[in-house]
Amino acid sequence: MPTVSVKRDLLFEALGQKYTDEEFDELCFEFGLELDEITSEKDIISREQGDEKAEGASDVVLYKIDVPANRYDLLCLEGLVRGLQVFKEKLEAPRYKRVSPADGGEPQRLVITDETASVRPHAVAAVLHDVTFTQERYESFIELQEKLHQNICRKRTLVAIGTHDLDTISGPFTYTAKPPGDIRFKPLNQSKEYTATELMSLYKTDGHLRHYLHIIENEPLYPIIYDSNGIVLSMPPIINGDNCSMLLNLKSVFCVCLQAKTTLDMVVTMFSEYCEEPFTVEEAEVVYPDGRLCVYPELAYRTETLSGDFINKRVGINESAESIAQLLTRMCLRSEVSGEGDLIQVEIPPTRADVIHACDIMEDAAIAYGFNNIVRSTPRTYTVANQLPLNKLTELLRQDLAAAGFTEALTFALCSEEDIADKLRKNIAETRAVHISNPKTAEFQVARTCLLPGLLKTLAANRKMPLPLKLFEISDVVLKDETKDVGARNNRRLCAVYYNKSPGFEVIHGLLDRVMQLLDVKPDRNQGYHIQAAEDSTFFPGRCAEIFSCGKSIGHLGVLHPDVISRFELTMPCSAIDIDIEPFL
Amino acid sequence: MADTGLLESLLRLLEKVDGGTDSQDVAADLGVDHQVIVGAVKSLQALGEVISTEQKSSKHWELTGEGREIAEQGSHEARVFNAIPDEGLPQNELMKMPSGKVGFSKAMSNKWIRLDKAHEGGPRVFKTVETIEDTVRDKLQLVQKGQSAKLEDKEKNELKKRKLLSEVTVKSYWITKGSSFSTTITKQETELTPEMIASGSWKEKNFKPYNFEAMGVAPDCGHLHPLMKVRTQFRQIFLEMGFTEMPTNNFIESSFWNFDSLFQPQQHPARDQHDTFFISDPALAHEFPQDYMERVKKVHSEGGYGSQGYKYDWKIEEAQKNLLRTHTTAVSARMLYKLAQQKFTPVKYFSIDRVFRNETLDATHLAEFHQIEGVVADYGLTLGNLMGVLHQFFTKLGITKLRFKPAYNPYTEPSMEVFSYHEGLKKWVEVGNSGVFRPEMLLPMGLPEGVSVIAWGLSLERPTMIKYGINNIRELVGHKVNLQMVYDSPIFQKPPKNKTEEASN
């Protein structure tokens, strides 16, 4: 969930009202935001770097507000205030308008060349004309772009945003792609020119930028945007050029977004508030390699029609169409009763890209109504409960294994290859293990193929406890299985260990007899269960038996091999049983 | 146990005195060591209310080993004086006496003797007085008789300096008659035996009282794991509410069921390598319901069912990728799809099972945890119904004060975070997540248009950690747990009243 940090006093000034922390928290809760933290720059620095460093830092109160991940229109102070003011009916939702250049001149133009085909052959652009920035507005503008980069742009992999001082550059602009050695410019905040190749190595150590290098690093051509004089606007998605970087006192902003028009809409709608004519955005033309000419930003409004009855029935309220229209209008979805039955016409603004279905509109009506004003009612759905037979069997066996003196362990389903192979004297290839492709540590290399390693590790962590230690676990292991749609299946196993100064084979054997008694399986070579000597590398030679039930092998029991014991950092003899319980369903 | 004779002597002594006696006096009267009387008192205490006692401590003066020797044989100086005959004694001979050195100098300073250095045959010692009074010995004998009070403090301190006296603290008992005082001792039986029952002799016997303050012997038994005990209780709650258990025994899932079927777009951050464990072997799922998959593809890339869709290029390669399921909702999706293939009947489903996240680990996050999930599918379910079901569910956990916050989740709309009022922290805390499944998820499955599906989820570990007061999840789950914690953990009946609201965080 993205967090937006805003100055409290600035926020209240914009809201035209002062709140106590509690009141504001309450307002956030109702609207679906969360006042996550109340802090200041000074607090943050002192927490992260110590009090000394915080000396002299600003102690202006900051509100950190968690915003739902799909509400890009609330990622800056401007958007938050607009959303809340409309919600509180103190403001009517603005209508965003695309306009032609005021002086009747030609719109700015961005030409995309063929070479971009290998990188990102799509870009959109727009102009914020006659915009007035203050220090705070400017910071908020930069911050919004950063937030968008992290969220909707998926860390710049989907979309890259560039904003430039239009007075320092002149169109038409060219978006092309070139080999990195052929690109040379002075990047933002640097004092000299670099080639793109040099830049990539320069930014390897940059705490912020190094995270984006991989996006183009291995491409033969790098994307680059020039103005008509060959000045570099940016090398997206890495860095802007220094010449056209934005300053406080700029007049017009040229915005370019690679890939997504939604992102462009978001940037320009939020800050068009500060234009000479608020909420207007000057158009820009984009010429595609195939000759197509498109005008941006789209700022498209869409109208949906739905019935009051639909909203009432889904939410569980009983409001008139008029009152529902009013609720929706408070959520920046300007709505009107159409006059046809209880139909409501809802206008979705370009800022609400999250509204893609009538259910999104329904939710907004419910939020405006107040979730906590909705009457809670029990559904009349009549059903009969059933347990999953496998889980029922597991629950019943667990109780009786504990009654038999064994203590239940709860171990991880993920482990290292070593745990299920080398340490058990098995070959990893024979384990039918499912392998994880992106483990952060060796602990998560595979899904376990047996429960024994977890129990032995539990013993190792509890060597100080009085002997004997008697543990069991009934849980799932995972095995590759071609017959399943995903190529693997779970298998419910029962595993138990007895750890003492003597191996206690008879104890584990007795536990098998008890389990079979509970499962109502009699000792019998054909119709019941029996054990028979077997070789298994995990067990001590001559001290291992295979367990058969109705002629089918269901597992092993025996005294563990001394190497297995030492590899799990244990020192005493140990006997174990491991059986599949699924045949007993 | 002290011998019965001594015990009875003590009791007879006690019978004669009014208002009780001190164990030290008893020792003096009976002529035995005080420690023996202390033992006797303890034996009598064990017999019940025969005597009652009060512990006292007192200081008194006692002779040291040397002091006792002097009380018996006289002071060193007296011994020296007495050893000297009228004709005197050579000094070197006198010095050979055990008391020689100390006695000589003391006797000299007392002017009892004189030294003739010029005597022929070497220095010789002579008495200067006829008789002496051995006051040191007299004083020590007084102390020995228990009459130290007759000495002045100054005198006692002087003797202490000479290491002849020492002051000791004595713990003694003030003994009085108990409520069942008697001068005869009946031997007490420790336990009832089969013989006593057979012969009826138990009727005449006295039984030694039990010490009810002591702990009992721990029963020899196995123990269930606390997290699994809580799981059992949650299962019970769902079953009481008529919910049927879903088959969640499939940790490996395809991205299709884990994400795509839930209308979670393919570029969603949750599908990132940083959040999800992907599988390298078997890397891909190979079987999907084809028609359904086509409908899922369409709703993502183009929309439909009243939706705009996400308008992106949906790729089957992405959907095929196997992973460790990140939520049990993948199973709910499979179950709802299955349900849609039959004539619709309303259902209530639940599951409690493991899910996996490739996240940064800390004190409250592990790579795997248990998710509790409830799902209801029926015609015309409302958001108010969801709140009603949640209210019933949490009431069964003892949590009655709930409120709901709008939230975002890719596959539910509306989505609500469930908050309960925490009496301890005096604030609202999140206890779970809930919502109504999106039509873009349900309609491609083939569920009828009017059917709504409401669902909620929470983790099993959090309420368990609160219940058992555990701050680090590693102390609850995994092989590093202390088995003593497992042995000692109580049952999960219901959160105690004052903790009611914390128990589900």
Side-chain angles (χ1 to χ4, degrees):
Chain A
M1 202 186 283
T3 304
V4 181
S5 174
V6 294
K7 290 181 178 150
R8 184 193 62 188
D9 295 346
L10 222 55
L11 175 72
F12 289 172
E13 192 192 316
L15 288 171
Q17 187 182 343
K18 280 203 167 82
Y19 293 84
T20 64
D21 292 341
E22 290 73 27
E23 285 165 352
F24 189 72
D25 184 44
E26 202 59 31
L27 175 62
C28 283
F29 194 95
E30 205 187 333
F31 193 58
L33 303 170
E34 200 170 331
L35 180 55
D36 186 46
E37 201 188 348
I38 301 164
T39 181
S40 71
E41 248 172 67
K42 195 170 184 171
D43 276 352
I44 296 170
I45 299 173
S46 112
R47 192 174 51 215
E48 287 168 359
Q49 306 170 33
D51 287 342
E52 279 169 35
K53 294 262 169 107
E55 201 70 31
S58 155
D59 48 11
V60 169
V61 179
L62 294 179
Y63 274 178
K64 295 214 157 186
I65 301 169
D66 279 349
V67 174
N70 62 339
R71 290 299 298 272
Y72 308 113
D73 59 320
L74 304 175
L75 285 177
C76 60
L77 175 83
E78 288 72 14
L80 266 177
V81 168
R82 221 173 288 164
L84 288 171
Q85 290 293 75
V86 174
F87 183 62
K88 303 282 289 174
E89 293 179 290
K90 287 186 184 168
L91 184 78
E92 236 181 83
R95 232 198 127 75
Y96 307 101
K97 238 167 70 191
R98 183 173 78 195
V99 295
S100 303
D103 45 15
E106 287 291 303
Q108 295 295 340
R109 176 176 285 202
L110 177 69
V111 180
I112 305 178
T113 70
D114 287 334
E115 287 81 4
T116 58
S118 69
V119 275
R120 302 172 183 206
H122 194 83
V124 293
V127 174
L128 285 175
H129 190 68
D130 252 340
V131 68
T132 312
F133 275 171
T134 61
Q135 183 65 33
E136 272 103 13
R137 291 171 183 183
Y138 178 76
E139 280 167 12
S140 175
F141 188 61
I142 300 296
E143 189 61 29
L144 171 68
Q145 291 175 51
E146 181 52 27
K147 286 275 182 300
L148 290 170
H149 271 149
Q150 293 310 316
N151 294 283
I152 194 173
C153 310
R154 306 275 180 258
K155 302 196 169 97
R156 302 193 187 178
T157 54
L158 292 186
V159 188
I161 310 163
T163 51
H164 314 276
D165 182 351
L166 190 57
D167 295 331
T168 63
I169 45 179
S170 58
F173 305 96
T174 310
Y175 169 34
T176 185
K178 280 179 157 185
D182 297 353
I183 298 173
R184 194 177 170 79
F185 67 103
K186 189 167 103 178
L188 189 63
N189 301 330
Q190 293 291 337
S191 49
K192 63 175 188 117
E193 288 192 352
Y194 292 87
T195 66
T197 320
E198 288 166 347
L199 279 178
M200 294 306 261
S201 60
L202 177 71
Y203 292 143
K204 277 263 176 327
T205 53
D206 186 296
H208 178 59
L209 294 176
R210 67 190 162 96
H211 301 293
Y212 309 119
L213 302 182
H214 71 96
I215 303 168
I216 57 167
E217 203 169 22
N218 297 321
E219 296 290 337
L221 303 179
Y222 284 7
I224 184 101
I225 303 171
Y226 291 104
D227 84 341
S228 59
N229 299 318
I231 291 176
V232 170
L233 272 66
S234 71
M235 182 175 80
I238 313 294
I239 189 82
N240 282 354
D242 190 52
N243 293 359
C244 54
S245 65
M246 296 208 317
L247 295 169
L248 261 186
N249 53 4
L250 51 64
K251 269 190 69 191
S252 297
V253 181
F254 182 59
C255 304
V256 187
C257 285
L258 255 53
Q259 215 72 11
K261 51 195 185 197
T262 317
T263 313
L264 179 71
D265 280 355
M266 214 57 78
V267 175
V268 295
T269 50
M270 289 301 117
F271 287 87
S272 57
E273 183 177 343
Y274 302 132
C275 287
E276 181 65 24
E277 198 192 332
F279 307 115
T280 62
V281 184
E282 192 180 294
E283 66 192 16
E285 293 170 352
V286 177
V287 182
Y288 289 95
D290 61 7
R292 239 170 351 118
L293 186 144
C294 297
V295 181
Y296 293 104
E298 272 192 352
L299 299 182
Y301 281 78
R302 178 176 103 237
T303 305
E304 298 274 354
T305 306
L306 43 78
S307 72
D309 185 54
F310 165 80
I311 303 259
N312 280 327
K313 283 209 167 123
R314 293 296 169 122
V315 179
I317 51 176
N318 192 10
E319 293 291 302
S320 68
E322 286 76 14
S323 110
I324 290 169
Q326 203 179 346
L327 291 174
L328 291 172
T329 304
R330 280 175 53 207
M331 301 302 289
C332 290
L333 304 174
R334 202 188 292 248
S335 303
E336 274 169 13
V337 177
S338 71
E340 221 179 297
D342 68 340
L343 290 184
I344 304 165
Q345 289 200 323
V346 187
E347 189 184 56
I348 322 295
T351 44
R352 291 297 308 274
D354 60 296
V355 178
I356 57 174
H357 192 278
C359 69
D360 298 303
I361 299 171
M362 179 259 287
E363 180 184 62
D364 273 13
I367 293 172
Y369 184 84
F371 276 11
N372 296 296
N373 297 326
I374 298 168
V375 176
R376 299 169 192 185
S377 55
T378 308
R380 298 211 192 116
T381 310
Y382 176 81
T383 52
V384 173
N386 284 304
Q387 301 185 51
L388 186 73
L390 183 60
N391 289 356
K392 183 177 180 179
L393 174 64
T394 304
E395 285 286 292
L396 291 171
L397 281 178
R398 285 174 55 239
Q399 299 288 340
D400 270 308
L401 282 175
F406 282 73
T407 290
E408 186 175 32
L410 176 66
T411 66
F412 297 126
L414 306 184
C415 59
S416 66
E417 286 181 13
E418 201 190 14
D419 284 341
I420 55 163
D422 292 1
K423 283 182 171 179
L424 294 180
R425 306 177 81 245
K426 300 263 192 214
N427 185 338
I428 186 74
E430 291 159 15
T431 57
R432 291 158 71 199
V434 165
H435 292 255
I436 294 164
S437 66
N438 56 334
K440 281 182 187 141
T441 69
E443 286 171 272
F444 312 123
Q445 287 174 326
V446 290
R448 64 181 171 198
T449 52
C450 53
L451 301 175
L452 188 58
L455 291 186
L456 294 179
K457 287 198 274 186
T458 309
L459 287 178
N462 284 279
R463 279 176 307 191
K464 284 183 190 151
M465 297 294 288
L467 294 174
L469 285 171
K470 297 192 274 186
L471 300 180
F472 81 94
E473 185 169 12
I474 306 181
S475 189
D476 284 349
V477 303
V478 183
L479 301 170
K480 280 201 280 186
D481 182 349
E482 270 307 301
T483 66
K484 299 286 167 186
D485 60 347
V486 296
R489 69 176 161 90
N490 282 22
N491 180 217
R492 187 73 42 97
R493 293 283 184 83
L494 182 163
C495 186
V497 290
Y498 177 81
Y499 183 67
N500 202 359
K501 285 175 183 148
S502 64
F505 180 83
E506 68 288 355
V507 176
I508 280 298
H509 191 186
L511 184 70
L512 169 68
D513 294 335
R514 174 64 184 145
V515 168
M516 288 302 167
Q517 196 174 44
L518 290 166
L519 293 169
D520 200 16
V521 181
K522 305 271 182 303
D524 182 290
R525 202 157 262 279
N526 300 314
Q527 271 92 54
Y529 76 97
H530 73 279
I531 65 172
Q532 111 190 0
E535 280 307 313
D536 185 304
S537 52
T538 301
F539 295 91
F540 200 34
R543 296 280 183 277
C544 170
E546 192 166 2
I547 306 160
F548 292 87
S549 175
C550 299
K552 198 173 156 256
S553 169
I554 57 163
H556 287 87
L557 83 168
V559 178
L560 293 183
H561 195 285
D563 287 346
V564 173
I565 291 170
S566 352
R567 284 171 198 176
F568 281 96
E569 290 160 23
L570 294 169
T571 50
M572 304 273 171
C574 180
S575 50
I577 179 172
D578 176 8
I579 59 169
D580 177 1
I581 63 163
E582 289 180 22
F584 302 103
L585 284 173
Chain B
M1 186 166 219
D3 77 283
T4 318
L6 177 69
L7 297 185
E8 288 182 351
S9 313
L10 196 161
L11 291 171
R12 277 194 299 277
L13 205 68
L14 189 60
E15 193 185 20
K16 286 179 220 148
V17 295
D18 286 327
T21 179
D22 190 287
S23 56
Q24 291 191 85
D25 297 338
V26 176
D29 284 351
L30 296 178
V32 293
D33 191 76
H34 183 238
Q35 278 312 307
V36 176
I37 298 301
V38 169
V41 168
K42 285 187 175 155
S43 297
L44 287 170
Q45 282 174 326
L47 298 179
E49 299 299 312
V50 180
I51 57 167
S52 58
T53 56
E54 197 182 313
Q55 258 204 324
K56 291 170 68 179
S57 75
S58 61
K59 282 186 176 172
H60 80 143
W61 292 92
E62 210 170 63
L63 301 191
T64 62
E66 195 182 354
R68 275 197 297 278
E69 185 192 316
I70 288 170
E72 227 170 80
Q73 300 173 17
S75 65
H76 299 296
E77 52 271 32
R79 275 184 267 171
V80 164
F81 179 83
N82 290 332
I84 301 171
D86 290 344
E87 64 273 22
L89 197 67
Q91 192 192 16
N92 55 358
E93 230 170 275
L94 184 131
M95 284 305 177
K96 282 180 200 155
M97 286 175 61
S99 309
K101 252 188 178 162
V102 190
F104 174 75
S105 56
K106 271 280 172 195
M108 280 295 282
S109 69
N110 285 354
K111 300 210 164 57
W112 291 350
I113 56 173
R114 67 179 171 85
L115 177 66
D116 183 0
K117 284 188 184 166
H119 200 275
E120 63 185 85
R124 206 173 174 91
V125 186
F126 295 93
K127 293 196 232 183
T128 54
V129 289
E130 280 300 303
T131 56
I132 54 158
E133 204 180 325
D134 191 353
T135 53
V136 172
R137 183 188 192 175
D138 295 344
K139 287 174 192 169
L140 289 176
Q141 280 175 340
L142 275 179
V143 174
Q144 204 170 26
K145 283 184 214 147
Q147 298 169 3
S148 61
K150 288 186 179 166
L151 296 182
E152 280 175 33
D153 284 349
K154 196 178 150 200
E155 291 172 310
K156 284 186 276 202
N157 284 328
E158 203 170 292
L159 291 168
K160 188 182 172 186
K161 244 184 237 165
R162 282 183 69 177
K163 298 210 165 73
L164 302 177
L165 272 189
S166 65
E167 197 176 22
V168 292
T169 309
V170 177
K171 291 221 156 84
S172 63
Y173 289 98
W174 184 254
I175 312 166
T176 50
K177 292 171 195 163
S179 57
S180 51
F181 180 79
S182 144
T183 53
T184 51
I185 303 288
T186 337
K187 188 174 167 262
Q188 287 189 310
E189 297 294 339
T190 45
E191 291 298 355
L192 189 63
T193 63
E195 290 74 21
M196 293 177 197
I197 296 170
S199 65
S201 64
W202 59 269
K203 292 174 194 155
E204 278 86 48
K205 307 231 182 240
N206 265 345
F207 288 86
K208 196 178 170 186
Y210 278 161
N211 174 10
F212 293 110
E213 300 298 317
M215 298 291 282
V217 176
D220 190 13
C221 64
H223 308 264
L224 293 173
H225 191 281
L227 191 76
M228 296 295 97
K229 288 198 264 201
V230 178
R231 183 181 73 175
T232 302
Q233 289 316 307
F234 272 102
R235 245 181 126 246
Q236 192 63 41
I237 288 173
F238 278 114
L239 293 170
E240 285 167 8
M241 290 175 71
F243 282 67
T244 285
E245 195 167 24
M246 291 189 270
T248 44
N249 54 330
N250 60 323
F251 296 165
I252 309 300
E253 190 53 276
S254 62
S255 294
F256 179 76
W257 288 107
N258 195 78
F259 295 124
D260 295 288
S261 70
L262 297 173
F263 197 53
Q264 201 150 343
Q266 294 190 327
Q267 65 275 29
H268 192 275
R271 303 179 70 151
D272 201 280
Q273 298 271 330
H274 297 293
D275 292 296
T276 301
F277 286 114
F278 286 91
I279 304 297
S280 57
D281 179 25
L284 302 177
H286 51 76
E287 206 186 302
F288 303 96
Q290 278 307 321
D291 294 358
Y292 171 49
M293 190 181 221
E294 282 306 316
R295 295 194 292 270
V296 169
K297 174 180 177 170
K298 190 155 180 270
V299 78
H300 277 247
S301 51
E302 300 167 29
Y305 310 100
S307 175
Q308 301 287 309
Y310 291 124
K311 301 200 169 81
Y312 73 100
D313 188 13
W314 187 91
K315 293 194 178 77
I316 183 165
E317 292 76 15
E318 204 54 50
Q320 280 184 305
K321 286 184 183 168
N322 274 336
L323 44 77
L324 277 157
R325 67 164 176 235
T326 62
H327 47 198
T328 49
T329 318
V331 177
S332 307
R334 281 179 182 266
M335 292 300 284
L336 290 169
Y337 171 73
K338 207 172 142 197
L339 180 71
Q341 307 318 302
Q342 311 149 7
K343 184 179 178 328
F344 181 80
T345 46
V347 295
K348 289 194 277 201
Y349 290 141
F350 83 95
S351 65
I352 309 169
D353 211 335
R354 295 184 198 232
V355 297
F356 305 84
R357 306 272 170 95
N358 193 12
E359 340 180 272
T360 314
L361 311 180
D362 60 33
T364 54
H365 290 89
L366 286 172
E368 53 188 273
F369 63 95
H370 289 74
Q371 185 187 340
I372 300 170
E373 183 164 347
V375 177
V376 186
D378 200 353
Y379 281 100
L381 294 176
T382 66
L383 195 57
N385 286 154
L386 174 56
M387 294 173 175
V389 174
L390 284 166
H391 179 72
Q392 288 185 329
F393 177 79
F394 282 100
T395 300
K396 279 183 176 283
L397 283 168
I399 296 171
T400 50
K401 236 170 157 183
L402 288 185
R403 69 174 189 166
F404 302 94
K405 174 178 160 290
Y408 169 68
N409 185 328
Y411 47 88
T412 54
E413 189 80 15
S415 310
M416 309 189 296
E417 278 169 7
V418 188
F419 282 72
S420 89
Y421 191 73
H422 192 297
E423 297 290 352
L425 297 174
K426 297 268 172 257
K427 66 171 190 177
W428 293 88
V429 293
E430 194 189 331
V431 293
N433 253 303
S434 66
V436 183
F437 282 135
R438 294 190 71 98
E440 292 100 322
M441 167 183 163
L442 302 179
L443 296 175
M445 289 175 169
L447 284 170
E449 187 89 41
V451 168
S452 291
V453 182
I454 56 179
W456 75 97
L458 58 153
S459 95
L460 176 63
E461 279 78 356
R462 254 183 98 189
T464 310
M465 286 170 75
I466 303 277
K467 156 76 186 169
Y468 294 106
I470 295 168
N471 292 324
N472 188 336
I473 196 164
R474 281 161 193 76
E475 289 166 22
L476 176 68
V477 188
H479 56 267
K480 286 184 183 146
V481 299
N482 183 349
L483 285 174
Q484 196 64 48
M485 180 280 294
V486 178
Y487 295 168
D488 295 346
S489 66
I491 53 175
F492 187 80
Q493 205 177 356
K494 206 182 200 187
K497 250 206 147 71
N498 54 350
K499 284 191 179 167
T500 299
E501 304 295 345
E502 341 181 336
S504 58
N505 302 315

